[in-house]
Amino acid sequence: AALRRYNLPASEGGKGGELAALSAFLAANPKVMLGERRTAPTPFSVMLYVLSMDKEPFQQNRINQRTTLHAFGIVTARPFEVAPGHVLRLRYVLDATVPRSDAVQRELDLYGDLLWLPDSHTCLGKVLVAIRHSTTLSFPVDAIAFTDDDAFIHPGRFLDQLAEAKHAAGGSFDYAYYGHLSWASCWDAKRQRHWGYGNHP
């Protein structure tokens, strides 16, 4: 929708290609905001865990996502105040049991936003160990959040909407869900991963 709204050229590569095009557009037009931001009534802080892997296309996805966030002034390695009282922290979650490639080590040295956690070779594994990791944080947060490295996140809208939900719920809420739900064809309990999607065998 954002590509059509801003008349961006169509790009190859499906969703990843669209994110690359959007990243390039926002980098070239840093003052563009995708919609008007409302002033949220309650300060809000989020620890955002981004599920990723040490191989392509995930490395390129991280570059595209960082470029998009940098267009909003966000440096992913440190806490960023999206708006007064609204703080976003971000880490890319990788599997600690996989040997680090030279490329990902250079990426860590350059950006400082990678987090290696054990037993995280699947998406579910990454979520579970990230939840465990969140209990060791040395700073308070109102929420922990999870997304993929090929997703676009509008940081201002994201924290505004969460803060508004907190305010509307009287100071706390259990969870919020963004995006669309992909139903798996079946679930492998032993491997902790899904097989296919609802439109695939």
Side-chain angles (χ1 to χ4, degrees), residues 4-194:
R4 291 191 294 272
R5 177 175 178 181
Y6 291 104
N7 298 316
L8 298 184
S11 58
E12 297 180 357
K15 184 167 56 175
E18 291 183 355
L19 181 60
L22 181 58
S23 297
F25 175 78
L26 288 174
N29 301 273
K31 294 184 179 180
V32 170
M33 298 293 284
L34 305 184
E36 295 296 325
R37 191 183 68 79
R38 295 169 290 182
T39 300
T42 308
F44 205 88
S45 62
V46 174
M47 179 69 205
L48 178 61
Y49 293 100
V50 184
L51 312 185
S52 195
M53 298 179 70
D54 181 12
K55 61 181 181 180
E56 293 294 355
F58 308 99
Q59 292 169 337
Q60 186 61 48
N61 288 346
R62 292 194 296 273
I63 292 173
N64 294 339
Q65 194 174 70
R66 285 192 196 97
T67 302
T68 302
L69 293 172
H70 289 177
F72 289 100
I74 293 177
V75 178
T76 51
R78 62 174 184 258
F80 183 82
E81 194 169 37
V82 177
H86 285 12
V87 178
L88 177 68
R89 293 175 171 88
L90 180 150
R91 286 294 181 272
Y92 291 97
V93 180
L94 302 175
D95 184 6
T97 62
V98 176
R100 299 184 189 183
S101 66
D102 292 339
V104 83
Q105 184 60 52
R106 290 193 297 270
E107 186 180 346
L108 174 64
D109 295 340
L110 182 61
Y111 297 107
D113 56 6
L114 305 180
L115 175 65
W116 279 269
L117 295 176
D119 303 319
S120 56
H121 57 284
T122 65
C123 292
L124 177 61
K126 287 182 174 68
V127 170
L128 295 178
V129 296
I131 292 173
R132 189 182 308 136
H133 177 269
S134 71
T135 65
T136 68
L137 297 176
S138 60
F139 44 83
V141 294
D142 292 291
I144 59 172
F146 301 92
T147 189
D148 288 332
D149 54 21
D150 60 354
F152 170 76
I153 296 173
H154 188 297
R157 279 184 177 178
F158 181 51
L159 269 72
D160 273 357
Q161 291 174 5
L162 291 175
E164 289 170 356
K166 177 182 177 181
H167 179 75
S172 67
F173 63 95
D174 294 328
Y175 64 89
Y177 184 84
Y178 289 79
H180 68 279
L181 186 63
S182 295
W183 293 99
S185 297
C186 59
W187 179 256
D188 187 330
K190 184 176 181 180
R191 300 178 65 191
Q192 293 189 348
R193 62 179 298 172
H194 63 78

